[in-house]
Amino acid sequence: MKKLVVLVGFVLLVASGCGSEKTMTCTRTMDQNGMKADLRYEVNYKGNTVSKVKSTEKITIEGDDAADTLETYKTTVENTYAPYKDVEHYNYNVSVDGNTLTSTVDIDYSKIDTKKMIEIDSANSQLIKDGKINIDDLKSAYSSAGITCEK
């Protein structure tokens, strides 16, 4: 009887999807004054807890001063991420190729030191609660920035 209860519980868990990791994809595109932005965020989560986020943000600029503008943006983005350079499980790369700046960030929230993230920037505490990020809180934060998310 005990084995049957465990088996039924396992089947219900698998059938409900509570035990599996899911992905939420969030995107936004903009095109203003010769500048195009393509933002994409892949968020893995299990239950209600975010486990990983991979962002890819691309900015493309047309015009004669595109190279100078992109280098300025690159410096700004690198300075934004610089405080996290020694945080394990927080990886980023910023590059310029032609008239496009690409910024990628991979964060493994299942392993990262969230206390360290809050020490670096106290604004992180708006999303990180008890060392975890709730998927609905993250979706809400993205939505408030005009980013559309699909679970």
Side-chain angles (χ1 to χ4, degrees):
M1 180 70 175
K2 195 175 193 180
K3 287 182 182 180
L4 180 62
V5 170
V6 171
L7 180 61
V8 169
F10 178 74
V11 169
L12 289 174
L13 182 67
V14 170
S16 69
C18 292
S20 63
E21 192 163 82
K22 298 177 183 176
T23 302
M24 176 175 73
T25 302
C26 304
T27 59
R28 180 173 183 189
T29 56
M30 297 174 285
D31 190 351
Q32 297 177 341
N33 304 324
M35 181 175 86
K36 294 179 183 177
D38 181 13
L39 314 175
R40 183 174 184 84
Y41 307 91
E42 296 288 332
V43 182
N44 294 339
Y45 63 101
K46 191 171 184 178
N48 290 324
T49 303
V50 173
S51 56
K52 293 182 182 178
V53 175
K54 179 176 183 169
S55 70
T56 304
E57 301 173 333
K58 294 184 179 185
I59 297 174
T60 303
I61 299 178
E62 301 296 333
D64 296 335
D65 61 346
D68 292 338
T69 303
L70 288 173
E71 283 303 320
T72 300
Y73 281 158
K74 181 180 180 204
T75 300
T76 301
V77 172
E78 287 174 333
N79 289 339
T80 300
Y81 294 133
Y84 299 95
K85 71 179 171 116
D86 294 326
V87 177
E88 283 188 70
H89 311 291
Y90 191 112
N91 301 298
Y92 66 91
N93 183 55
V94 184
S95 62
V96 174
D97 184 22
N99 61 345
T100 302
L101 176 139
T102 303
S103 167
T104 58
V105 180
D106 288 302
I107 305 170
D108 187 341
Y109 283 104
S110 68
K111 297 178 182 176
I112 200 165
D113 183 348
T114 54
K115 288 180 183 178
K116 192 170 199 169
M117 290 186 68
I118 292 170
E119 287 173 15
I120 291 169
D121 185 350
S122 62
N124 287 323
S125 67
Q126 294 176 1
L127 282 176
I128 300 171
K129 306 289 185 215
D130 297 323
K132 297 177 182 176
I133 296 178
N134 180 286
I135 188 66
D136 294 324
D137 293 345
L138 186 59
K139 183 178 180 182
S140 177
Y142 283 145
S143 293
S144 69
I147 299 166
T148 303
C149 296
E150 299 285 331
K151 280 187 178 181

